[in-house]
Amino acid sequence: MTATGRLKAAAKAARTGVMRPIKLALARRARGRSAARFVAVTGSSGKSTTTALLAHLLADEGPVVAQVFWNTLGPLIRTLRRSRRDTRFVVAELGVGGPGQMPGMATLFRPDMAVGTMTGREHDSAFRSREAGAPEKGTLVETLPPGGIAVLNADDDLALGMTARTAARCVTFGWADSADCRILSARAQLPERLGLRLLWQGRAIDLQTRFTGAHFALPVAAAAAAALTLGVPPDALARRIARFEPLHLRMSMHPVPNGPVLVVDTAKAPLDTVD
């Protein structure tokens, strides 16, 4: 780096050091004034899809502020400041790349609902194991108020274990027989897109999606469980999911003129989905 570059970098760092406390205070004030429902989504995989789909499902219920992809403290501060008096829902994904990162974000965001997608090995370099990473994610559930709701993966032992860390109501999703929002079936074979059947409060709900790949059944179930718990009617749920366009580069489809259709999964491909 040149001398000029170093000076610019130092000036930027100084500005950031001065402005961060001010922006943090403004974000806290915005959170304190807001009457919206705050939903936080965390997990090793599936955060972005779950967050984007849930925001889409809630949009017809009222104004939504969504934070997708960028999931650290800086983006969270900006998301809180975007909330307005008429905002009904704030839906944000919160990620951790190492120990000690979740408590500050969870305390700032103060979720009314926390969604835990899964506990995988995406951060082995920082946590070394699934078991080591789970307590960091579980901090989010601990911040729920007594009237809050934890929406957790019934197929993931570590995610399900977070029920012991909160007095809030717990709603589960997944393939397990015990799941509150249970996946009964899922099918996806190109060119056919993902279709699945959920069981919710004794009612079977058939969903047709635009997702490519059966492994998307889990984030769909996570978003559905959260939306249904927040009051979205089952019939409306099916209509809204059918309209949702999957996220770019997460098994998105790209036709080549006079050629093949490419299925691109370069944003992130968790080990468990490679098959």
Side-chain angles (χ1 to χ4, degrees):
M1 182 183 293
T2 64
T4 301
R6 287 193 294 271
L7 286 172
K8 288 182 178 179
K12 181 178 179 181
R15 289 194 302 272
T16 301
V18 171
M19 293 303 296
R20 175 60 68 86
I22 297 173
K23 292 179 179 179
L24 193 58
L26 292 172
R28 286 198 184 99
R29 186 171 69 174
R31 174 64 182 93
R33 291 179 172 180
S34 178
R37 300 289 295 276
F38 285 74
V39 183
V41 181
T42 193
S44 301
S45 302
K47 292 188 297 298
S48 297
T49 296
T50 301
T51 302
L53 178 55
L54 179 56
H56 170 81
L57 294 174
L58 295 174
D60 286 353
E61 305 298 312
V64 177
V65 171
Q67 174 184 305
V68 185
F69 301 129
W70 308 108
N71 52 38
T72 54
L73 182 59
L76 187 62
I77 290 172
R78 292 191 291 273
T79 296
L80 289 171
R81 293 180 63 192
R82 285 194 290 123
S83 177
R84 297 293 180 260
R85 291 187 183 276
D86 66 339
T87 300
R88 187 167 179 188
F89 299 99
V90 179
V91 186
E93 67 167 278
L94 304 185
V96 292
Q101 296 179 3
M102 181 61 79
M105 291 191 293
T107 302
L108 175 64
F109 193 69
R110 290 191 287 128
D112 300 298
M113 172 183 279
V115 182
T117 59
M118 65 181 70
T119 306
R121 299 189 62 183
E122 278 76 1
H123 300 296
D124 265 12
S125 60
F127 292 106
R128 301 300 179 187
S129 69
R130 291 178 65 244
E131 291 74 15
E136 183 76 17
K137 298 178 178 67
T139 304
L140 182 65
V141 174
E142 288 181 347
T143 63
L144 288 169
I149 305 167
V151 181
L152 302 171
N153 184 351
D155 303 330
D156 187 308
D157 58 333
L158 296 177
L160 196 58
M162 294 176 189
T163 57
R165 302 179 65 172
T166 181
R169 173 189 173 193
C170 292
V171 176
T172 57
F173 62 90
W175 289 92
D177 292 345
S178 60
D180 297 305
C181 185
R182 182 183 170 195
I183 305 171
L184 296 177
S185 63
R187 62 192 182 280
Q189 184 66 48
L190 286 176
E192 180 185 3
R193 303 298 183 95
L194 171 65
L196 66 160
R197 171 170 283 192
L198 301 179
L199 183 65
W200 171 259
Q201 296 181 346
R203 174 179 175 176
I205 306 173
D206 290 310
L207 303 175
Q208 183 58 52
T209 81
R210 299 182 183 183
F211 288 105
T212 304
H215 62 280
F216 281 106
L218 195 66
V220 169
L228 290 164
T229 302
L230 290 170
V232 174
D235 292 338
L237 180 89
R239 291 194 301 271
R240 295 173 195 177
I241 285 180
R243 297 196 307 260
F244 180 76
E245 191 64 37
L247 299 179
H248 186 60
L249 301 184
R250 284 167 168 79
M251 292 199 76
S252 53
M253 300 186 70
H254 305 265
V256 176
N258 301 316
V261 176
L262 302 180
V263 181
V264 185
D265 195 27
T266 54
K268 181 178 181 183
L271 179 61
D272 292 341
T273 71
V274 171
D275 287 344

